[in-house]
Amino acid sequence: MTFMWTNHDFRVRAAGATGDLAARFTGAEPGLIDRMEDFLADPSPVVRAVVASRLPVAYATGPARMWAMADRLIRQEGDPHVIALVASSALRVAGIDTDACVALLAPLATGPRTPDGVSAESPLADVLGSGAASLYIGQDNVVAKAWVATWTADLASYGSELTAFANALREPLFWRYGPGAGKESADGCDRAQDAARLVLTAAVEASTSAHEKVARLAGAPAAPETVAIYRTAERLIGCVVNQLYFGSGAYEKTVHEHQQLADPKERGRFLLDYKTELHLAAQSHEPNTLHYLLELYAFLIPGDPVGVFEAIHGLLTGRGREEGYHFESLGAAVVVRIIRRYIADYRSIFDDGPRQARLVEVLRIFGETGWPDALALLYELPDLLR
């Protein structure tokens, strides 16, 4: 969120200077906080935004003073950017005054999303979503957890908050796998996983319902609200998959030292731990999401070669085929790469007749679509499996 002003906006400069001076000399000049508070009534939202971004300065003179100023701003404010800055400032001191922060933000977090309330496009949605992750995942705050439950029950109203919340899960989803991870890290990871499962479950249900409604229309235009809920739900599924993909280290440009799942045993453990979440993600109707999920499975192969192959087969012959993933050039490339890796490193698992048949089935889907590399590998397969 950005406000624009020039050197000629003297009230903006005065508000900023007052806040900066208060940060350095509050003890010697407590009257500076009084001057900051005077700016709360300024007619310019830019001036009020400057004060809102510096609210934690007032905390040093007494927590009650800062919370009163924050509450005043929220009650009187009409600019969503200023309210978002108030919420952001409150979250900056949440670690030392959690209850007061939660009490301030609770009406905003679960209030109405109407023209008279918080807009879905409001910058406040991002602040509340990431703030809920910090409070719930990081501090095990039960009120923030309840916010998330409210949001998942109404994706149409709170999709933006949930997107910001899911985006904040990348690191917590892997805390239990870090070197020397203790109980606190494991507990936080459990909360992150529970939250991801909650988001995925709600999103899959909403996406499936919307998809079925559209299918029954037989080509007729779908209602705008149906399209909107489908897009929100699929965006959330894709968002969670991205956190798993990039957080795991599957992205080839990830620095090796930052890979939480560098060890094959840890990858196997991850597959067991996140079996439910991966299954939910595989129900996405979006090829882009299925692609990232497939790339994640490719990274996890050493953790359980047989289990991963069966999951890949199910993905490609099921939802992937339904949604036309086999027509994607990136899909064909990654499938050929995965199969060549299996033949090179895990050829023996295809001594099993039914599994070998499933391997051929996957290749045929892409080969018969016309992808040259897939077709060539299909013809080479009998010799490669000898």
Side-chain angles (χ1 to χ4, degrees):
M1 60 196 79
T2 303
F3 288 93
M4 302 297 293
W5 67 87
T6 70
N7 287 335
H8 297 292
D9 294 316
F10 299 115
R11 297 200 313 279
V12 176
R13 296 175 62 191
T18 302
D20 294 342
L21 287 170
R24 296 188 60 185
F25 304 113
T26 297
E29 297 289 343
L32 288 168
I33 302 300
D34 296 331
R35 187 71 186 97
M36 279 182 64
E37 191 163 8
D38 290 341
F39 283 113
L40 298 184
D42 195 278
S44 169
V46 183
V47 173
R48 301 193 301 272
V50 169
V51 179
S53 67
R54 289 164 170 78
L55 281 177
V57 171
Y59 198 89
T61 64
R65 184 72 178 277
M66 191 209 85
W67 295 119
M69 292 171 66
D71 184 66
R72 176 183 169 184
L73 265 174
I74 286 178
R75 289 178 183 276
Q76 74 179 27
E77 192 54 58
D79 191 297
H81 294 84
V82 177
I83 297 177
L85 285 169
V86 175
S88 181
S89 289
L91 288 163
R92 282 158 57 190
V93 298
I96 55 177
D97 206 346
T98 305
D99 290 342
C101 175
V102 169
L104 180 78
L105 298 184
L108 297 174
T110 56
R113 284 352 186 217
T114 66
D116 297 323
V118 178
S119 167
E121 291 76 30
S122 168
L124 179 60
D126 288 339
V127 175
L128 290 172
S130 58
S134 176
L135 291 166
Y136 170 35
I137 309 302
Q139 301 184 41
D140 194 18
N141 185 271
V142 294
V143 178
K145 179 181 180 180
W147 297 350
V148 179
T150 298
W151 296 346
T152 55
D154 187 0
L155 300 190
S157 298
Y158 299 102
S160 296
E161 286 87 348
L162 282 172
T163 300
F165 176 79
N167 278 327
L169 297 180
R170 182 171 302 181
E171 292 185 7
L173 285 169
F174 297 90
W175 278 348
R176 70 167 70 101
Y177 306 103
K183 185 178 185 305
E184 184 176 352
S185 295
D187 289 344
C189 188
D190 288 344
R191 292 191 292 272
Q193 182 176 358
D194 288 344
R197 186 184 309 120
L198 185 64
V199 172
L200 281 171
T201 300
V204 167
E205 289 177 357
S207 172
T208 300
S209 176
H211 193 273
E212 290 174 351
K213 288 180 181 179
V214 173
R216 288 195 294 269
L217 294 173
E225 55 269 23
T226 300
V227 175
I229 196 66
Y230 172 81
R231 289 176 176 170
T232 296
E234 285 294 339
R235 183 178 73 240
L236 286 169
I237 299 171
C239 184
V240 174
V241 169
N242 281 346
Q243 307 324 305
L244 294 171
Y245 171 73
F246 289 103
S248 68
Y251 182 50
E252 61 181 5
K253 295 183 180 180
T254 301
V255 179
H256 180 75
E257 289 77 4
H258 294 166
Q259 286 185 358
Q260 298 288 5
L261 304 179
D263 189 286
K265 291 182 179 179
E266 290 298 287
R267 299 185 197 187
R269 179 186 173 192
F270 175 86
L271 282 163
L272 289 173
D273 290 345
Y274 283 90
K275 182 178 180 180
T276 298
E277 289 73 28
L278 293 171
H279 174 72
L280 285 168
Q283 297 179 53
S284 169
H285 294 274
E286 290 296 306
N288 182 64
T289 298
L290 298 178
H291 178 74
Y292 276 108
L293 183 58
L294 184 62
E295 289 277 20
L296 175 60
Y297 272 128
F299 173 74
L300 296 171
I301 288 172
D304 180 7
V306 173
V308 170
F309 174 78
E310 298 298 345
I312 289 174
H313 170 267
L315 178 67
L316 294 175
T317 60
R319 189 51 56 85
R321 194 173 200 172
E322 291 173 12
E323 301 302 333
Y325 179 69
H326 50 297
F327 293 109
E328 302 287 339
S329 59
L330 285 176
V334 72
V335 166
V336 169
R337 171 165 55 83
I338 288 172
I339 291 178
R340 287 196 179 280
R341 181 181 182 187
Y342 263 106
I343 293 172
D345 298 338
Y346 309 102
R347 195 205 63 80
S348 62
I349 73 171
F350 299 111
D351 290 341
D352 175 271
R355 188 172 300 120
Q356 185 176 127
R358 289 193 286 276
L359 174 65
V360 172
E361 181 184 11
V362 168
L363 266 181
R364 277 181 175 167
I365 291 174
F366 288 86
E368 291 175 357
T369 302
W371 298 113
D373 289 345
L375 196 58
L377 182 56
L378 183 62
Y379 284 122
E380 294 174 24
L381 203 57
D383 291 333
L384 294 173
L385 293 178
R386 284 177 186 170

